[in-house]
Amino acid sequence: MSDELTKLKKEILQDTELQAKKQRFALFSSPVPLGLGDDSYDFKKRPPRGENGKPITEATNVKIGAPKSGRIKSSYFSQASFNSIGDPYMDPQRKDLQYELEKTKKILFKDQQFKPASGYKELLGGPWPHMKEFDMKKTRNYKTADGRVWSAPRNITTNPANKELLKGFPHMKDEYNRFHQHQLKLQMEAKRKEKEVAFKTTIAGGENFNKDKLVFGFDGKAPPPNKEKIHDMHIMKHESNFKPANPGKKGFEGEFEQITYKPDPKKPIKRREWLKGKEQFKPNNLGTLSRPTPSITCFKQNIRRAMSAKGF
């Protein structure tokens, strides 16, 4: 195999040298093949082969047979059986009766006296012993060696209660309009503190009853009157006064002409004759499109019952 590859490489190398010696127009040199000198395939690991030319392999692995499949008995590991084989059937009711009979046989009615049935029995202390969760604190002994009760020092003491305060207060009258009277009193005090000002009405404009000169006098104490500003209208001078155009007339006299009556006679109706050889138009309905609701006697079931009752 290696001899054939070396021979093939030599032939390819000779072909490339011959192509390079040939004259080529518009080319400075012949293109070198890309695969030249690439021996990456030579380093590929190949399995070792024996004298017969076949690859050497290791010993065969463990072999198993084909798995069993299907629903026949030969495909199962073992045949299914019942759990109750070897266990004889016993009637539970009969077993209870036998148990009750054995209990009655053990009771000796002659030797023992009658005893009523005992009530519900309870366990005292529980089935399990009690485990201590924590250690109890020792209680303090409040008795002295003489046997007297030991007492702590006196607590904080206070003055005796005032008996006069406990008697209560006498009832005092409270006028119904006391709040309104208090408000009036505050308003009167506020007016006294205000300065004397001329009375002004609350109407629009805020003018007084009397003029300012009569109130303040004519000695110059009154405020000066407001001077109106004269506006320059830039009035142009014309030969005659301006007169507007006469307005349009209105009413009966404002019409162009007098109103005259014109009769509106009805157009004469002429009967149209139908062309010969042409069918006349016929409407699909005669104008009554509404259908009244039929009676229940018209139902098929009711008609059949009536017919069968009459013997038809």
Side-chain angles (χ1 to χ4, degrees), residues 132-144:
K132 190 187 290 186
E133 296 179 1
F134 54 87
D135 295 332
M136 296 293 290
K137 291 182 179 180
K138 293 182 179 181
T139 58
R140 188 175 180 182
N141 189 10
Y142 289 95
K143 288 187 178 182
T144 59

Side-chain angles (χ1 to χ4, degrees), residues 8-242:
L8 185 64
K9 285 179 182 179
K10 287 179 181 179
E11 290 177 358
I12 293 168
L13 190 70
Q14 289 175 3
D15 292 339
T16 52
E17 288 176 355
L18 289 170
Q19 286 182 359
K21 290 177 181 178
K22 287 181 180 179
Q23 190 176 0
R24 291 170 177 266
F25 297 99
L27 283 173
F28 294 99
S29 62
S30 62
V32 181
L34 298 174
L36 193 66
D38 186 9
D39 55 352
S40 59
Y41 289 98
D42 293 340
F43 294 100
K44 191 175 182 180
K45 290 184 179 180
R46 291 179 175 82
R49 296 178 179 272
E51 295 177 354
N52 55 359
K54 293 182 179 181
I56 299 169
T57 58
E58 296 179 354
T60 56
N61 207 338
V62 179
K63 294 181 179 179
I64 58 171
K68 295 180 180 180
S69 62
R71 297 184 179 180
I72 57 176
K73 293 181 180 180
S74 60
S75 61
Y76 296 113
F77 290 104
S78 61
Q79 215 169 7
S81 61
F82 297 96
N83 295 328
S84 59
I85 294 173
D87 187 7
Y89 173 75
M90 296 181 70
D91 190 4
Q93 191 174 6
R94 188 176 180 184
K95 190 75 176 175
D96 294 337
L97 289 170
Q98 289 177 359
Y99 178 71
E100 293 292 335
L101 286 170
E102 289 177 359
K103 281 173 67 176
T104 53
K105 287 178 181 179
K106 292 179 180 180
I107 298 171
L108 302 173
F109 294 100
K110 295 179 180 179
D111 299 339
Q112 295 181 358
Q113 296 179 358
F114 173 74
K115 291 181 181 180
S118 59
Y120 182 73
K121 295 180 181 179
E122 295 180 357
L123 293 172
L124 296 174
W128 292 279
H130 177 70
M131 303 292 290
K132 190 187 290 186
E133 296 179 1
F134 54 87
D135 295 332
M136 296 293 290
K137 291 182 179 180
K138 293 182 179 181
T139 58
R140 188 175 180 182
N141 189 10
Y142 289 95
K143 288 187 178 182
T144 59
D146 303 337
R148 292 180 297 176
V149 178
W150 177 81
S151 60
R154 293 183 66 185
N155 207 339
I156 298 169
T157 56
T158 58
N159 294 326
N162 193 348
K163 295 181 180 180
E164 293 182 359
L165 294 173
L166 296 174
K167 292 179 180 179
F169 300 94
H171 176 69
M172 297 177 69
K173 290 183 179 181
D174 188 10
E175 294 185 5
Y176 181 75
N177 295 327
R178 185 171 176 276
F179 179 75
H180 181 62
Q181 292 174 1
H182 180 67
Q183 292 291 332
L184 288 172
K185 187 177 179 181
L186 292 174
Q187 289 178 8
M188 295 300 289
E189 289 179 357
K191 284 184 178 181
R192 288 172 190 171
K193 293 178 181 178
E194 290 179 357
K195 295 180 180 180
E196 293 182 359
V197 184
F199 177 76
K200 290 185 178 181
T201 60
T202 56
I203 59 173
E207 296 179 356
N208 299 326
F209 286 113
N210 300 320
K211 293 182 179 180
D212 292 338
K213 286 185 179 181
L214 295 173
V215 176
F216 295 101
F218 296 92
D219 54 355
K221 291 182 180 180
N226 294 328
K227 294 181 180 180
E228 294 182 0
K229 292 181 180 180
I230 299 169
H231 298 282
D232 190 5
M233 302 298 291
H234 301 286
I235 299 171
M236 298 294 292
K237 294 182 179 179
H238 296 278
E239 295 176 356
S240 60
N241 295 331
F242 173 75

Side-chain angles (χ1 to χ4, degrees), residues 248-259:
K249 296 179 180 180
K250 297 179 181 180
F252 291 103
E253 296 179 356
E255 304 291 340
F256 291 104
E257 295 179 356
Q258 290 183 355
I259 299 170

